Amino acid sequence: MLRVAVAGGAGYIGGELLRLLLGHPRVDVALATSDSLAGRRVDGPHPNLRGRTDLTFVRHGELADRQGSYDVLFLALPHKKTMGAMAGYLDLARTVIDLSGDFRLRDPEVYARYYGTAHTAPELLGGFTTGLPEQHRDALRTSDRISVPGCMATAGMLAVQPLADAGLLDGEVTVDARTGSSGSGVSAGEANLHAERSGAMRLFAPAGHRHEAEVAQASGLPVRMTATGVEAVRGVQVLCGVRLAGGAGGSEVRAAYRKAYEGERFVRLVAYRRGAYRLPEPKILSGSNYCDVGFAVGDGGRATLVGALDNLVKGGAGNAVQCLNVRFGWPEDTGLEFFGLHPN
Amino acid sequence: MLRVAVAGGAGYIGGELLRLLLGHPRVDVALATSDSLAGRRVDGPHPNLRGRTDLTFVRHGELADRQGSYDVLFLALPHKKTMGAMAGYLDLARTVIDLSGDFRLRDPEVYARYYGTAHTAPELLGGFTTGLPEQHRDALRTSDRISVPGCMATAGMLAVQPLADAGLLDGEVTVDARTGSSGSGVSAGEANLHAERSGAMRLFAPAGHRHEAEVAQASGLPVRMTATGVEAVRGVQVLCGVRLAGGAGGSEVRAAYRKAYEGERFVRLVAYRRGAYRLPEPKILSGSNYCDVGFAVGDGGRATLVGALDNLVKGGAGNAVQCLNVRFGWPEDTGLEFFGLHPN
Amino acid sequence: MLRVAVAGGAGYIGGELLRLLLGHPRVDVALATSDSLAGRRVDGPHPNLRGRTDLTFVRHGELADRQGSYDVLFLALPHKKTMGAMAGYLDLARTVIDLSGDFRLRDPEVYARYYGTAHTAPELLGGFTTGLPEQHRDALRTSDRISVPGCMATAGMLAVQPLADAGLLDGEVTVDARTGSSGSGVSAGEANLHAERSGAMRLFAPAGHRHEAEVAQASGLPVRMTATGVEAVRGVQVLCGVRLAGGAGGSEVRAAYRKAYEGERFVRLVAYRRGAYRLPEPKILSGSNYCDVGFAVGDGGRATLVGALDNLVKGGAGNAVQCLNVRFGWPEDTGLEFFGLHPN
Amino acid sequence: MLRVAVAGGAGYIGGELLRLLLGHPRVDVALATSDSLAGRRVDGPHPNLRGRTDLTFVRHGELADRQGSYDVLFLALPHKKTMGAMAGYLDLARTVIDLSGDFRLRDPEVYARYYGTAHTAPELLGGFTTGLPEQHRDALRTSDRISVPGCMATAGMLAVQPLADAGLLDGEVTVDARTGSSGSGVSAGEANLHAERSGAMRLFAPAGHRHEAEVAQASGLPVRMTATGVEAVRGVQVLCGVRLAGGAGGSEVRAAYRKAYEGERFVRLVAYRRGAYRLPEPKILSGSNYCDVGFAVGDGGRATLVGALDNLVKGGAGNAVQCLNVRFGWPEDTGLEFFGLHPN
């Protein structure tokens, strides 16, 4: 059994990591840290884990004290706070899988522009592999520094990249992202009270969302993203407006997706003629590690590419576990078998 | 025009008072207080008021400084903090309408039991009239100290009282109350984040909810209330389990309600044979001052009485405005004409 | 009092017309038609009207039988079924206000392309005025044939038109529309069951939505619209991606909106720096006749224009009543005073 | 591998059976029937199964034609239609697990009273074992005729039975049940459209709900149940009001539950002092086979017992699969390992 530690286990991503890792047949959870909840049971903030674990949180400092008791370190810590401490983390565990935003962008200037602060460990940026197996599987097999992409970025990259790689896209990509409330985290403030957030269509990022930079970095194309909070707890959907190059149409798009995702366990092509679920719909993906991808071709060479996922699973913790599976040569869906629910 | 002041104007009840009072044709809103938002526009925390008012909040201390500039003082301040300051408020305005819980219970011992603290102004308790026009209209016509009942209590009292008054009830009343999230207020904590509260069936008061005492006080019957937060922003529904006295059945119950509520503008008897809305449903009452009341008679002399209302309107601010209308002899629905929406 | 008839009174738009017209101080509702519910009370399918009316539905054929008993005829009938009968309706009442899609597009070829069938009364198309007072007020003052625009089109036109008129837009407009479930109507099928539709992000129109043609017709610009059903009963929000012409930026955009909407009672410019409601949010507009309009300017001359409204009010019945008010010279907000609710 | 057939595979319970059985490591799904969807892919009405199966529906008549190709027959057919055909089903498969209501009540007179029609196969009633392993495990190990209880009944029985068995209850049990919309099934009508059902508190069964009879049958106590549809797709919660016998209090109640559920894999005692999840909450149970049980003791010997579950899993398909596991001697959680999600 591989021993893993989860740093930042009290948040939503941390809880989802614990859910998946506690159910993973090849992994033992050695410790989970939370300064604010140290000494308290893990199933306090994560009541879905009742009956499955007696683990208690330890203080964050225990990571260093108990070096050697874990092989893999998952970091579910806040953006901007992770980068400064990363050098230390890399000493603690053989493999580090980071879920913060701090090592997603390779160019420190881009980081500074999108995060509003200078990167404090730019020398480490190049050492991280993007934790998206569908696009970086070979590198992930041997990588011990993995940076898991943002939830909306993951959906966007999985929707856009096959067409970008096939040379089917021309010009700017617009990404209209919609997201549930869990993406704001457990420490979100008054604006995320139920009475304020319920039923909302809150355009919280009309321009310049950080995940935009990740899609641009991956695709090499100019990207414009807006992000709106809609009524859901889990779930991200992106609508990517693109211009198809060279007269390409639906059959070329379909072929490119098929080629890219043939044999992929967690990406399904969802582009049917009719039905309520003919295009990717996050509500049936909750808890699953799927990213459904679809498209619709309009007039004049324009197309809408669609991606949907559970922001805490394929958009975060599930993707991280998938990377773990790739890294250690296990079947990629180990611990990630859940189908998703319908109706839900 | 009557001049009114709203103390505690930044909360949800305060905002609803402002919505109703700004639309009331016989009233001028002279000032609204909020220490935390003093100097800020009223339509900041209450964005539905944009375009309707340029009012800004003033510090709470302005109530005293501007004595004489308002005739009626609405108090939308926290429970337990209102009672100590009440004597002062009574000096400031001719008419005081209190929406806190502090003057709802006439017996200070009952208050202490339900609020967990001794009442600090017990000598004032007797001077307040219960702000429920359907049951205290005559007294309200001349009362200048009005205490508006709690939201679940209002629904419970309107459902129970006609039968209690008619001698149709025997023994204990059980009240199963369900409520939307706005009842928790704008300063609710982490447990009321959207991700935690959305879709919940949260039994937050399995016994001894404060509003239980109000229904007991009004009816003279023993009352047991449970309260559950369900998915809604606005809306309260109570199911009152009762035993009918002396062989009474559906026709007696119906007759008692009809007699009690004939001519009442804001209480509708809703007890039909079929249809999705055959019994009181809060979702079509949002924004309206209605309390719908209905019933179903079961076997063995048992019946379920049902009440539904918008907790911020008939369960709070709307009821307060209705009291104002009664007190000043205006048509009772002045400023309260809104029908409610369907679908909604 | 003006006498009005509502044809198609059992649907959601019909119900909303009845809610507004029954509360309108200058109007008497003479009759409401529904073949399927003839003889039944109007407050059956519209339970929010209980206590406000004893009206019963009559068969549709009564419209002809009772000619002369009403002055204005509101048509809330299905698309494609209205056009063939329009000539007859025009004979029945002096003023006809149509809420179907059949007379919104002036060009029968465009109609055929978007509705999938030839227009059967093309000779009447030219006689209708677009029922959007903010853009056609003068014509509406004397028009007796009014075609109320589609809900998403209304939001789109109000967001786009001031900039189009000011010459600030360059090239294609993309419209990402999100809508609540009431837009699908009361006779929607299995796909709109709660269990299927709840929490959805259903991209039901990835290209070519009918309302796209209305925005294009009004603006003279190429328009691409996608439409997604999100979790809400009421509410439409549109995000319009545009390219600003000639180096225009935020101040020019703001100035154009201010100029267009100065003095407008039902359009508010909502574009603040911070806060959960800094851009247009439909959830606080339910029941109101507002269309909030806002914007955000990004890099490179791109901007996102935002419009939000209640699809049944400003996106339908409320807009129709506003047209009525304009036509008969009444204050434009007569019967439309409701503020909207927060929280909601 | 055991071969199973699912009769009535197109509905919500049928779909949930397919989800669980397709993921079950000891089972092959031999066929799934649906007359209306015969020839269509199973992942059409159940889009969460995309990528997991290529199965297509067969006509219901195939059950007889393909006798011998399956060992176990799950019946997810409508109430009242199952009983007449049961004798035939019993000939087709060695083991029959029925999820309809037709074989839940042992007394045909009680059946007639609650279902409004005479039972047409009363001679078969006695042969069925109640499919609730926590209460009938020994019988289920050898039973080939299993009747899975109703969703609200399951929650009620698991909450009430330990105390009833321990002699801790005195007199009538009142059950206030709340349920999500999926319980109404995929063929629900207009009243279950999203616009009507969203945010509802619909008291659809103010008295005499069918599941009441099941709890009464199991407990031997008089039971009164009301049932309300609240906003959720999945989820049932019951609040059971009871009177404790002989001065029993919280410690006796807790002891009785502990004794009853010690070692139970799918029943957790959830009765904490604080926290948003201190009592059973269905929203974190979606997709899982848990039934959480809790309680709160009030004054005067009254207590509220609480049960919560996912109506399609522990309240239906999951419970049926658990019975299968018991019957065939497999670990009881085979195929039922999913934890549930938080937040959700």
Side-chain angles (χ1 to χ4, degrees), chain D residues 120-294:
Chain D
T120 60
E123 71 284 2
L124 297 177
L125 284 173
F128 278 82
T129 303
T130 299
L132 191 56
E134 289 79 7
Q135 294 176 9
H136 301 274
R137 186 170 282 115
D138 284 344
L140 288 167
R141 291 193 212 280
T142 57
S143 177
D144 284 316
R145 299 181 182 189
I146 296 172
S147 171
V148 177
C151 53
M152 294 182 272
T154 298
M157 292 189 288
L158 289 170
V160 168
Q161 207 59 29
L163 307 200
D165 289 348
L168 291 175
L169 300 187
D170 201 13
E172 188 174 88
V173 176
T174 60
V175 179
D176 178 62
R178 302 90 182 266
T179 177
S181 62
S182 61
S184 301
V186 72
S187 54
E190 222 168 76
N192 275 338
L193 282 179
H194 179 272
E196 303 294 338
R197 182 64 176 73
S198 169
M201 304 185 201
R202 185 184 296 171
L203 180 54
F204 66 93
H209 191 281
R210 291 161 176 177
H211 295 181
E212 171 184 297
E214 295 178 58
V215 183
Q217 172 179 275
S219 67
L221 297 168
V223 176
R224 296 184 176 281
M225 181 184 283
T226 63
T228 305
V230 298
E231 172 64 45
V233 172
R234 291 168 179 245
V236 157
Q237 185 189 52
V238 294
L239 268 54
C240 308
V242 298
R243 185 175 299 278
L244 299 177
S251 56
E252 287 81 7
V253 171
R254 190 175 291 271
Y257 278 130
R258 283 207 172 131
K259 185 177 163 215
Y261 295 131
E262 186 182 19
E264 285 295 345
R265 172 68 176 76
F266 292 121
V267 181
R268 298 184 291 200
L269 183 57
V270 174
Y272 297 95
R273 295 216 183 153
R274 60 178 65 85
Y277 299 91
R278 70 188 181 100
L279 288 166
E281 165 64 77
K283 80 172 220 150
I284 59 169
L285 303 178
S286 285
S288 87
N289 198 47
Y290 287 113
C291 178
D292 284 349
V293 168

Side-chain angles (χ1 to χ4, degrees), chain B residues 16 19-20 234 287-289 310-319:
Chain B
E16 198 68 356
R19 176 180 77 86
L20 294 170
R234 291 168 178 244
S288 87
N289 198 47
D310 178 334
N311 54 305
L312 298 180
V313 190
K314 185 61 178 171
N319 206 14

Side-chain angles (χ1 to χ4, degrees), chain A residues 41-203:
Chain A
R41 292 176 60 88
V42 156
D43 62 10
H46 308 307
N48 58 325
L49 303 183
R50 288 170 178 162
R52 290 300 179 99
T53 182
D54 288 317
L55 202 66
T56 55
F57 289 112
V58 297
R59 299 194 68 80
H60 202 61
E62 293 267 317
L63 280 175
D65 299 344
R66 292 171 56 181
Q67 186 181 3
S69 72
Y70 51 92
D71 309 296
V72 177
L73 174 58
F74 288 89
L75 297 171
L77 299 168
H79 304 319
K80 303 185 185 176
K81 291 196 177 168
T82 300
M83 56 185 173
M86 182 57 86
Y89 295 134
L90 295 176
D91 283 342
L92 291 176
R94 169 176 145 189
T95 306
V96 170
I97 302 180
D98 180 30
L99 289 102
S100 84
D102 286 357
F103 293 87
R104 292 173 184 162
L105 299 172
R106 284 190 298 269
D107 182 337
E109 287 186 23
V110 175
Y111 181 89
R113 188 155 74 245
Y114 277 91
Y115 285 77
T117 186
H119 203 288
T120 60
E123 71 283 2
L124 298 177
L125 284 172
F128 278 82
T129 303
T130 298
L132 191 56
E134 290 79 7
Q135 294 176 8
H136 300 274
R137 186 171 282 116
D138 284 344
L140 288 168
R141 290 192 214 280
T142 56
S143 177
D144 285 316
R145 300 182 181 188
I146 297 172
S147 170
V148 176
C151 52
M152 294 183 271
T154 298
M157 290 189 288
L158 289 170
V160 168
Q161 206 59 29
L163 307 199
D165 289 347
L168 292 174
L169 300 186
D170 201 13
E172 188 175 89
V173 176
T174 60
V175 179
D176 179 61
R178 301 92 181 265
T179 177
S181 62
S182 61
S184 301
V186 72
S187 53
E190 222 168 76
N192 275 340
L193 281 181
H194 179 270
E196 303 293 338
R197 182 64 175 71
S198 169
M201 304 186 202
R202 185 183 297 170
L203 179 54

Side-chain angles (χ1 to χ4, degrees), chain D residues 39-164:
Chain D
R40 307 275 287 275
R41 292 177 60 89
V42 157
D43 63 9
H46 309 307
N48 57 326
L49 304 183
R50 287 169 178 161
R52 290 301 179 98
T53 182
D54 289 317
L55 202 66
T56 56
F57 290 110
V58 297
R59 298 194 67 79
H60 201 61
E62 292 266 319
L63 280 175
D65 299 345
R66 291 171 57 180
Q67 186 182 2
S69 73
Y70 51 92
D71 309 295
V72 177
L73 174 57
F74 289 89
L75 297 171
L77 299 168
H79 306 317
K80 303 185 186 177
K81 291 195 176 167
T82 300
M83 56 185 173
M86 181 57 85
Y89 295 135
L90 295 175
D91 283 342
L92 291 177
R94 167 175 148 190
T95 305
V96 171
I97 301 180
D98 181 29
L99 289 101
S100 85
D102 286 358
F103 293 87
R104 292 173 184 161
L105 299 172
R106 286 188 296 270
D107 182 338
E109 288 187 22
V110 176
Y111 181 91
R113 190 155 73 245
Y114 277 92
Y115 285 77
T117 186
H119 202 287
T120 60
E123 71 284 2
L124 297 177
L125 284 173
F128 278 82
T129 303
T130 299
L132 191 56
E134 289 79 7
Q135 294 176 9
H136 301 274
R137 186 170 282 115
D138 284 344
L140 288 167
R141 291 193 212 280
T142 57
S143 177
D144 284 316
R145 299 181 182 189
I146 296 172
S147 171
V148 177
C151 53
M152 294 182 272
T154 298
M157 292 189 288
L158 289 170
V160 168
Q161 207 59 29
L163 307 200

Side-chain angles (χ1 to χ4, degrees), chain B residues 152 174-178 203-209 212 223-228 237-239, chain D residues 176 178 239 241 296 303-304:
Chain B
M152 294 183 270
T174 60
V175 179
D176 179 62
R178 302 92 181 264
L203 180 53
F204 66 93
H209 191 282
E212 171 183 296
V223 176
R224 298 185 176 280
M225 181 184 282
T226 64
T228 305
Q237 185 188 51
V238 294
L239 268 54
Chain D
D176 178 62
R178 302 90 182 266
L239 268 54
T304 299

